[in-house]
Amino acid sequence: MPYKTTFNGLYERSASFDDEPPYNLSPIWNERRGEIDPATSFNFVATCDIIGGNSGSPIIDREGRLVGLIFDGNIQMLGNRFVFDDSVARCVSVHTAGMMAALEHVYRADALVEEIRAAAK
């Protein structure tokens, strides 16, 4: 499995299930599909030491930049409560590039996007 998904993968997954629940997208996501670079990262997995309750925790890269927010983990991650084992345990995070693309192009939250970009400088 690849370590990340992209917006292209999001739309391909929905289409492969004929845009039927639970893989259907909100109409606004389909209407504004052409405004997002399909290669933009959406989600990714990593070997972070997390347990249940860490949703919303930041993922920081080596340079100290925010690159994502944790929202889930695989079943093997549950053992991390006792002993961290990165051989198969993974956390799943939404990528900041995906968040920003959605805010800007799908939701058109221009004021929020501007505020985030100003704070990042």
Side-chain angles (χ1 to χ4, degrees):
M1 297 296 294
Y3 75 94
K4 70 175 183 175
T5 60
T6 62
F7 277 90
N8 188 52
L10 170 78
Y11 287 107
E12 284 181 357
R13 183 77 164 176
S14 180
S16 70
F17 284 91
D18 297 323
D19 203 28
E20 294 290 328
Y23 299 100
N24 59 316
L25 297 172
S26 170
I28 197 167
W29 280 80
N30 284 319
E31 289 168 19
R32 299 181 179 164
R33 177 180 182 169
E35 297 181 35
I36 299 173
D37 178 354
T40 301
S41 296
F42 193 68
N43 294 323
F44 64 95
V45 297
T47 55
C48 298
D49 186 6
I50 67 163
I51 60 170
N54 284 136
S55 294
S57 294
I59 299 281
I60 308 296
D61 71 8
R62 290 180 180 153
E63 285 77 41
R65 296 175 300 201
L66 176 68
V67 294
L69 293 176
I70 294 170
F71 69 86
D72 203 356
N74 62 2
I75 193 74
Q76 293 83 358
M77 172 273 310
L78 295 176
N80 287 355
R81 179 175 299 277
F82 305 103
V83 176
F84 177 58
D85 177 12
D86 67 355
S87 61
V88 291
R90 302 291 182 265
C91 70
V92 185
S93 301
V94 61
H95 198 287
T96 53
M99 287 187 271
M100 292 301 290
L103 287 170
E104 183 175 3
H105 301 294
V106 177
Y107 301 112
R108 296 183 180 157
D110 299 333
L112 180 57
V113 169
E114 186 177 315
E115 183 178 341
I116 292 169
R117 287 192 174 133
K121 290 182 181 182

